Amino acid sequence: MADPAGTGRHRLAELTAAATAAEVPPAGLCRDLALAYERAGDPAAAVRWALATTDAGGDLTCWTAAAGVLRRASAGAAASAVSPGVAASAGVAASAGVAVPARAAVAAAVGGAVVPSPVAGHAARSARVAVLGSYTTAQLAALLPLAAARAGVAVEVYECGYGQYRQEVLDPGSGLYRFGPDVVILAVHEGEAALPALAEDPERAVAAEVGRWTSLWEIIISRLDARVIQHTFVVPETEALGHLALRTPGSRSSMLAAVNAALGRAAAGGQVAFVDCERLAATVGKRSWFDPRYWHRAKQAVSLAHVPALARHTAAVLGAQLGTSRKCLVLDLDNTLWGGVLGEEGLAGIALGDGPVGEAFSAFQEYIGQLRARGVILAVCSKNNEADAREAFERHPAMRLRLDDIAMFSASWEDKPTQIRRIASTLGIGLDSLVFVDDNPAEREVVRQLVPEVDVIALPRDPHGYVRAVADYPFFEPAALTTEDTARTEQYRARARAAELAASASSLEEFHRGLEMVATVVPLDELTLPRVVQLIGKTNQFNLTTRRRGEAEVAELAADPSTAVICVRLADRFADHGLVAVVIARRATEPVGAVLDVDTWLMSCRVIGRTLEDEIAGLIVAEARRLGCSSVRGHYLPTAKNALVADLYSRLGFRPDPAAPADAGRAAPAGGPGVAPADGTGAGATRWVLPVASALNRPGLIRVVDARAGGAAVASASVRTMEEVAG
């Protein structure tokens, strides 16, 4: 008699053995393992392999099967066995708080080694996403939950009817409005652009086309309070004017390029992002991107072979908008930043700068430098003598990267997982913020096994391919570029130096005093608004309510005279950390009197534990007095990542609000990071009150300057403590 269970175990062992033979198993093998684990009744492993499919390339068939595994795992109430970032499907926006088993644990079940989940331990955001297309988008909508899960976002997807995007946006009674999306994806193609083949007045034609799309953005943002992600127009490779089109502003191809550029400029506000389909199409070849057979038969504007790539990049942009992008690139040195082994070749013997191989390493360093310049944190993780490794940065004439570019320099003979954990701890970021690059497959493998939260990029053998390998990794996608982003390396280097100071201090108070911290309260204006919105969108750990608000909504709240907005910069003797804290509070009139209700309170993780929260509490009380309030009311809405602030209000002297809803304080379900409900009554929510007459016990370790117009009357040359500012 057949033994289905035994046959299944044998099949899993065969597939696992095949996967072990390749560092990055092919997509077809990942799909087969996902299906095999699903049949074996292990949804966690099945989803892990489904997500691995997205990193292995793969065609539409592989992705569709993997997306089906993810969908069934969610629909089958398997969330309790799936890691955050995994439980996502069309119609289901769920995630659990249980980490996926490590590679060794899964290997024990089948007698071999398996590749761990790319998002093991990576908590998800959840979002409702509407796909509004000008062409057939069924495949894109079906694959988006899979791609989004890999990017750390659990999504529920709504898809409009074919070509109905404009009608759905304009009709308040449409399914789009009933769905209530957090993000709207405008999946449009160049055929939808209302541009002639040749225009007599190209500037007017371009302006009109840009106006058509920006007006849609304005409606989506104002009516739905949703973010917008628009696919850019792909300029067709067929052009009747041939090469003459390049110097003919009225040609359709020239105008399409101009529209793309103008839309980019128009979206500077922050609630509109793009997927650069023009660049994606150029990468794979425009004749491959658009196949007329698909268009004429099924109105597919993107060839089915490239829909997975479109879904992957759309999800990367979505993740960036919701704050799930990776932050830090961890770099090996020998044969990664230069050719050869420094300890064996000596400084003069490494390949860097001269010759084809040396130029390849120089080009790689230059690209890494470009990532640093736009906000990616760089760290070094090397098995090397530290003095020798540092000397290469200081003395080699062909080094493109310098020590000042490196936020954390770890060179020792410890194993790399240990070094990586220390890097994350010192910089104060999660392991799920790190991406590891090393030329050695064995080092990459041990990091995958022992630190599965870290993404690992498989470098090719040939250093000429290093730049492309890192450039093809999509999860460094930035949401915006602010002055804080460009200064991020110095800020994290300062954090590392502060860690050294902490190690030498005899007490925590001595350490904090030694930092010589100064907090500056700054106005919310056109210069600070982008950073405030960025913090609201991505801050998880120190965030009392995790309410996400776009630029327009924040600006509208700030314009209300009954609303207090507190924006705080922090500097110490090592660095200016930039704008790191935001409070939004609204005056409410109630039977007990006027109350200042704290809607949003968050701080960047880079300044957690420095007593800034105590000083901000004093500022909040000062604002309550200014607005004539007798008390301050705070809310704590628990998520999977903000347990850090669960006791903040009680520690600051607040007391439970006796008028809180009856269900406040009931236990929150396991996992489910989500987004806090606007009414403050989510599972596990608590409310707290503090009379403004109460004395706050503030450490007084941070000096405060109020730089707002009319704020606290602080002289420009003086610095006052929180006690003075708060009265």
Side-chain angles (χ1 to χ4, degrees), residues 17 25 147 154 186 270 305 329 334 373 422 432 449 480 514 516 524 546 560 572-573 618 640 673 683 696 698 703:
L186 293 174
L329 182 62
D334 292 333
R422 185 167 58 249
D432 59 2
Q449 290 195 30
E516 300 174 9
L524 181 69
T546 65
D560 186 343
D572 58 37
R573 68 185 178 93
L696 290 173
R698 297 185 296 280
R703 296 186 298 170

Side-chain angles (χ1 to χ4, degrees), residues 32 82 103 107 146 206 237 298 402 464 477-478 570 657 670 698:
D32 291 346
V82 183
R103 178 177 181 140
L146 178 70
V206 168
E237 53 92 18
R402 296 298 178 186
H464 295 93
E477 183 70 34
L570 185 71
D657 184 0
R698 297 185 296 280

Side-chain angles (χ1 to χ4, degrees), residues 180-205:
D182 303 301
V183 180
V184 172
I185 297 171
L186 293 174
V188 294
H189 72 299
E190 65 85 18
E192 197 65 18
L195 296 170
L198 187 63
E200 293 183 2
D201 188 347
E203 290 186 5
R204 182 176 180 180

Side-chain angles (χ1 to χ4, degrees), residues 484 487-496 575-578 606:
E484 280 78 9
R488 186 166 291 149
T489 294
E490 181 56 33
Q491 293 162 358
Y492 278 93
R493 287 185 70 234
R495 182 178 294 184
D576 182 348
H577 298 279
R606 70 180 73 148

Side-chain angles (χ1 to χ4, degrees), residues 462-490:
D462 186 347
H464 295 93
Y466 283 8
V467 171
R468 180 168 295 171
V470 175
D472 284 346
Y473 176 80
F475 302 118
F476 279 134
E477 183 70 34
L481 188 62
T482 67
T483 55
E484 280 78 9
D485 294 324
T486 57
R488 186 166 291 149
T489 294
E490 181 56 33

